[in-house]
Amino acid sequence: MCQTALISDKIVRLGTRSFKQRLEVVAGNEYSVTKLSRLNRSLDDFYEFLYTQINSVTQEDYKIFGPQLSILLSTLKDLYKTCQSLPKSWGFATETDKLGRNYSALYEVENDLRTFKKCNSTDPEMSKLLSKAGIALKQLAM
């Protein structure tokens, strides 16, 4: 079983940080590359954690944190677009690119979860295929 409460908590924290940072950028407050860099590190860590949990996520788990993850992705996309509009001279380009990659990685995981966790888990053929895919991924990770 996956750690649903922990995943949900991390999503809420990251979503809140992302939203606050977007507000800072839009409001013209002192937003720094350091804040964006820290957010990117946290997103990297979250992606790795979520990816390790992906095989143990059930439909019920996804129903709990799926909507939250969708909102986080929307918030990250908005922050990314906002940071892209900043003048290049401010030095945000590298971290903005990292934010875009983090968004893409999390989007792919969310898409996989949405696609594969909504399928009927009692379908024997699908269960077999998912089991083989999980074994193949474990072998690749070694």
Side-chain angles (χ1 to χ4, degrees):
M1 183 171 169
C2 81
Q3 300 177 15
T4 308
L6 185 57
I7 292 171
S8 182
D9 182 57
K10 287 178 182 269
I11 291 171
V12 169
R13 288 175 189 260
L14 286 168
T16 302
R17 280 176 61 192
S18 302
F19 184 75
K20 285 180 181 178
Q21 288 187 21
R22 180 161 185 255
L23 286 177
E24 287 179 9
V25 174
V26 171
N29 292 347
E30 297 200 13
Y31 185 60
S32 67
V33 176
T34 305
K35 283 185 179 181
L36 186 55
S37 178
R38 277 188 252 142
L39 177 63
N40 276 325
R41 280 194 303 275
S42 296
L43 290 168
D44 286 338
D45 292 343
F46 175 65
Y47 169 78
E48 289 177 24
F49 173 73
L50 187 58
Y51 192 77
T52 63
Q53 298 294 309
I54 199 168
N55 288 330
S56 61
V57 174
T58 65
Q59 279 183 315
E60 291 74 32
D61 296 330
Y62 184 72
K63 285 179 185 175
I64 293 169
F65 69 79
Q68 295 169 335
L69 185 57
S70 181
I71 292 170
L72 170 63
L73 288 170
S74 175
T75 304
L76 289 174
K77 186 176 182 179
D78 290 342
L79 177 60
Y80 173 70
K81 287 180 179 181
T82 304
C83 287
Q84 275 188 315
S85 69
L86 294 173
K88 300 287 183 200
S89 62
W90 290 9
F92 280 87
T94 302
E95 289 301 323
T96 300
D97 290 343
K98 286 180 186 177
L99 180 63
R101 288 191 299 273
N102 279 324
Y103 167 77
S104 294
L106 287 171
Y107 179 82
E108 287 299 319
V109 170
E110 192 267 345
N111 188 46
D112 289 348
L113 286 169
R114 187 172 12 92
T115 302
F116 296 114
K117 297 306 173 180
K118 283 188 177 178
C119 68
N120 186 355
S121 59
T122 59
D123 179 9
E125 185 178 348
M126 183 58 83
S127 295
K128 240 194 275 187
L129 288 172
L130 290 174
S131 177
K132 285 181 182 180
I135 291 168
L137 286 173
K138 284 180 184 177
Q139 289 175 348
L140 286 174
M142 291 180 181

